[in-house]
Amino acid sequence: MHPILRQIKQMKIRGAINIGLAVLDYLEDIGKNGFDEEFRKNADQAWKVRPTTVVAYNVVQAVLQNPSMKRIDEIRKSLHRINDAVPKSMCQRLRKLGKSLSVLTHCHSTEFVETMKQCKSRGMDIEVYVTETRPKMQGKITARALADAGIAVSYMVDDAEGLFMNDIDVVITGSDSIRKEGIVNKIGTMEFALLAKAFKKPFLVASSIWKIDTRKEFQIEFRPARELGFSYPGVKVLNPAFDITPWKYVSGVIVENGELRRWKDANKYVLPSGKG
Ligand code: RUB
């Protein structure tokens, strides 16, 4: 396996946009041998390494439309712009909720962390609760990044979210894919959304038009059982990496130039890959 794809598989590179950027590095590397049939075949393998995360798929489709180094570079610039545009939109949305906000999040999303930094730089008073996110503990990445940015942050076990639901103003997560069935994100996200609904708190998602998923076939990635650190004869260990939050629990999905409240709203956007 190509070293970049191996790093994606082993989650040394992770998070939807980072995976998309790494896939572009991979395409650039294999493109050095030319953009022929072999390139097309190998390009199509890239998104299958972590199949749930649609950015990788959309990036591959966009490059395959017109494969060249220039095209790869254009797409790279477009992905980099997300981490500026989406946090800006998200901050404007959050400002409507108040100047001082207590936020609950799950896992690690670059878009979420950048949003919190933007809000702070605009003078908002932000406090974040983050869950550890078993079994890979990506909550630690979020907690460290926020603390390093001078944002008040508390770290807690995954099942503590219900206890703090009364104390927070809004739940925000990242997203891997926006689909007809709902929002695909780290396993556990659906519980956050359900609790938010029960406690009448908004559930917002930081996303991007690159995450709109129009693939008919879709699979939730199941990772190796060994990541859970438990085995016993007769016990089947399940390790799904993502879940799907139905649209009825979602208050808004923030993308570059707007907000989606239902799947139908995705029709307004032509995907950069040309599909959609
Ligand atoms: C990460 C995860 C993130 C999204 C969005 O899962 O679910 O919320 O990928 O990330 P994993 P970003 O750790 O399994 O990749 O905002 O960085 O695109």
Side-chain angles (χ1 to χ4, degrees):
M1 187 181 269
H2 188 284
I4 295 177
L5 299 190
R6 192 176 315 119
Q7 285 187 63
I8 296 174
K9 195 176 176 65
Q10 294 172 344
M11 292 180 67
K12 288 181 179 144
I13 298 171
R14 45 149 303 283
I17 302 298
N18 289 335
I19 291 172
L21 287 166
V23 165
L24 286 168
D25 291 344
Y26 164 74
L27 296 178
E28 186 170 37
D29 194 45
I30 61 170
K32 285 179 190 149
N33 302 323
F35 294 100
D36 51 8
E37 260 322 296
E38 190 67 8
F39 174 84
R40 285 185 173 273
K41 211 176 80 205
N42 290 330
D44 207 43
Q45 293 309 308
W47 63 269
K48 295 178 180 155
V49 179
R50 292 203 70 199
T52 310
T53 303
V54 76
V55 180
Y57 174 81
N58 284 339
V59 157
V60 169
Q61 300 312 309
V63 171
L64 288 182
Q65 272 170 12
N66 184 13
S68 68
M69 290 300 177
K70 187 166 166 270
R71 180 84 178 135
I72 291 173
D73 219 43
E74 280 166 9
I75 298 169
R76 189 179 279 124
K77 284 190 185 123
S78 168
L79 288 197
H80 277 302
R81 277 196 295 271
I82 297 170
N83 287 335
D84 186 42
V86 174
K88 256 189 205 147
S89 299
M90 186 62 122
C91 268
Q92 281 163 7
R93 175 71 162 83
L94 290 175
R95 189 65 190 78
K96 290 182 196 154
L97 299 178
K99 190 166 185 282
S100 174
L101 290 181
S102 192
V103 180
L104 172 66
T105 193
H106 183 51
C107 196
H108 171 260
S109 144
T110 306
E111 291 185 58
F112 170 77
V113 170
E114 291 308 309
T115 298
M116 294 299 98
K117 288 186 190 168
Q118 277 255 356
C119 291
K120 183 175 189 275
S121 73
R122 288 168 180 223
M124 288 175 67
D125 184 16
I126 298 286
E127 159 187 43
V128 178
Y129 291 82
V130 56
T131 42
E132 55 185 354
T133 319
R134 284 188 55 81
K136 301 291 279 183
M137 316 301 258
Q138 294 94 321
K140 288 182 185 172
I141 308 173
T142 303
R144 287 188 198 112
L146 294 175
D148 289 349
I151 295 168
V153 54
S154 304
Y155 176 81
M156 58 200 200
V157 294
D158 287 334
D159 293 331
E161 79 265 31
L163 187 65
F164 292 96
M165 220 18 105
N166 270 322
D167 302 328
I168 57 114
D169 302 298
V170 54
V171 181
I172 307 174
T173 68
S175 55
D176 282 87
S177 303
I178 308 172
R179 288 188 58 85
K180 189 173 181 222
E181 302 89 328
I183 306 306
V184 181
N185 195 51
K186 179 53 53 191
I187 188 80
T189 301
M190 183 168 46
E191 281 114 270
F192 282 69
L194 261 70
L195 274 168
K197 186 92 173 171
F199 280 76
K200 298 190 171 42
K201 306 286 168 121
F203 173 71
L204 295 175
V205 177
S207 198
S208 157
I209 56 171
W210 281 95
K211 294 181 177 180
I212 294 174
D213 189 353
T214 56
R215 291 177 295 182
K216 278 204 179 66
E217 303 216 347
F218 163 70
Q219 74 189 86
I220 292 284
E221 174 189 358
F222 275 68
R223 297 195 51 83
R226 64 171 181 277
E227 288 181 353
L228 269 63
F230 172 72
S231 67
Y232 196 78
V235 178
K236 185 176 173 189
V237 177
L238 299 175
N239 187 14
F242 301 101
D243 63 21
I244 311 176
T245 301
W247 284 95
K248 63 179 172 190
Y249 300 111
V250 179
S251 313
V253 176
I254 312 301
V255 296
E256 287 82 339
N257 291 315
E259 180 170 341
L260 282 58
R261 299 250 167 89
R262 54 194 77 77
W263 173 241
K264 223 170 55 192
D265 296 343
N267 290 337
K268 283 192 289 213
Y269 299 93
V270 177
L271 291 191
S273 62
K275 303 208 166 194

